[in-house]
Amino acid sequence: MRFAPARYRSTRVSLERIVDRARRNSGGRVDEGEQHVKPLARLVDAMNEPDGAPLHAFGRFYAETLFSELLTQRERLRRLWEQQPEILDERITRPVIILGLPRSGTSFLFNLLAQDPAHRFLSNWEATVSQVPPPRQRTYLEDPRRRKGRRLMRFQHYLAPGLKDVHTFHLDGPEECTPLLMQGFTTQALAGMFEVPSYSAWLDTASHAETYRHHRRILQTLQWTYPGERWLLKSPDHLSAIDALAANYPGACFVHLHRDPLQSVASWASLNAVFRGIHSSPVDPQTLGTQVLNRLSTDINDYLEKRPEHPEDLILDLYYDDLVRKPMDTVETIYRHFDLHLSADAVSRMQSLITSAHDHRSAHRYTPEDFALSPADVDNRFAAYTQAFDIPLVR
């Protein structure tokens, strides 16, 4: 077991310790009654329940450190906005937001669209280190957060060496929105990272309004520091928050990629098995498979209910097989549908990425059976989704 201070050898995760540490680190006010702390309290309670995460001592240290850092970052942002209120006047216009279940081609499309110089996306270090700019102006490559981000990626590899085979992280991005959304503590990412069934059940009806209001303010901050023409965003969490996304980003261009969900569920279980292996022992693959199936199917069915409330011309449906067969045709469809300019430079960069992608094959191997998932169970839970979008099932 990795080293953990003696106070973490108790059997419980402590919200009081988390809040106290965030207070000390931020030098500001962090209160257990604040709106964003209440979901954290639910998460901590779920971790301490008999069927909660089987954390070892290092796992409790890891969880409390992660949560206190999220609170610390949020408090530092609040103080920045008080000191520099003009940040929140930044306009975010027509971001391109990629939707889709895990393993549906969203990462490939994200990386492809990120080749367009017109797109501003998150770097890994902006998402994971800090969204508060350094005290004096720096260039992007000289930003001290970037150096710390490189060290953080190395430490992540030390904690979970198998993670690089499951998901590719790039220091300068593009990076998903998930680390930002975690500051609101209403994200399914946390329900995947930790075994917290009651917290996941609470997410079924939780509001995402405050989380995405905070998300928008973070993007305004990052744009104020390093401007860009148009934001490019992605996260598996976005499917469960279409209402909050549309409210905070009116006129956003939504691109929804579709694929047989059997691979999505197995892939997401495999990724979260790696994360859970950092802090818990043992990790039960069957339990994990059931939890992931419940979470993803609930989110997609909720999306199906909410989607008719949004203008159809703002949501473009595309398919994984088409993206893989003819990626540039898919790109051109996106730009044409949303009336975006596709420059010759962007096309050249995208074609270079496509060429390099053909030469790279992931070492990650998994099957649904690894997590006691049967095609029949997945088909049943996702039947409304696959029928609504006429998604071919590959068996």
Side-chain angles (χ1 to χ4, degrees), residues 101 259-267 269 289-290 292-294 296-298 300-301 367-369 371-387 393-395:
L101 291 167
R259 189 189 186 187
D260 181 348
L262 181 62
Q263 291 302 317
S264 297
V265 177
S267 173
T290 300
V292 168
L293 177 60
N294 290 341
L296 293 183
S297 61
T298 298
I300 199 69
N301 288 326
T367 67
E369 290 74 23
F371 303 96
L373 294 167
S374 73
D377 289 339
V378 176
D379 292 350
N380 180 58
R381 295 296 295 271
F382 286 88
Y385 168 61
T386 55
Q387 291 167 16
L393 303 182
V394 182
R395 301 289 181 267

Side-chain angles (χ1 to χ4, degrees), residues 2 153-167 274 277-278:
R2 299 180 181 91
M153 289 179 70
R154 290 174 182 155
F155 183 59
Q156 178 177 265
H157 174 68
Y158 165 74
L159 290 179
L163 190 58
K164 69 180 185 304
D165 296 327
V166 183
H167 184 79
V274 176
I278 295 173

Side-chain angles (χ1 to χ4, degrees), residues 77 81 122 131 180-181 183 213-223 231:
L77 282 165
W81 297 330
L122 289 167
Q131 298 84 54
L180 308 185
L181 299 173
Q183 292 184 23
R213 184 182 72 91
H214 183 67
H215 178 270
R216 175 172 51 80
R217 290 184 164 199
I218 293 176
L219 295 192
Q220 289 173 306
T221 306
L222 298 175
Q223 180 174 291
W231 276 99

Side-chain angles (χ1 to χ4, degrees), residues 253-274:
C253 308
F254 293 102
V255 180
H256 190 172
L257 269 171
H258 302 283
R259 189 189 186 187
D260 181 348
L262 181 62
Q263 291 302 317
S264 297
V265 177
S267 173
W268 200 237
S270 180
L271 174 62
N272 283 298
V274 176

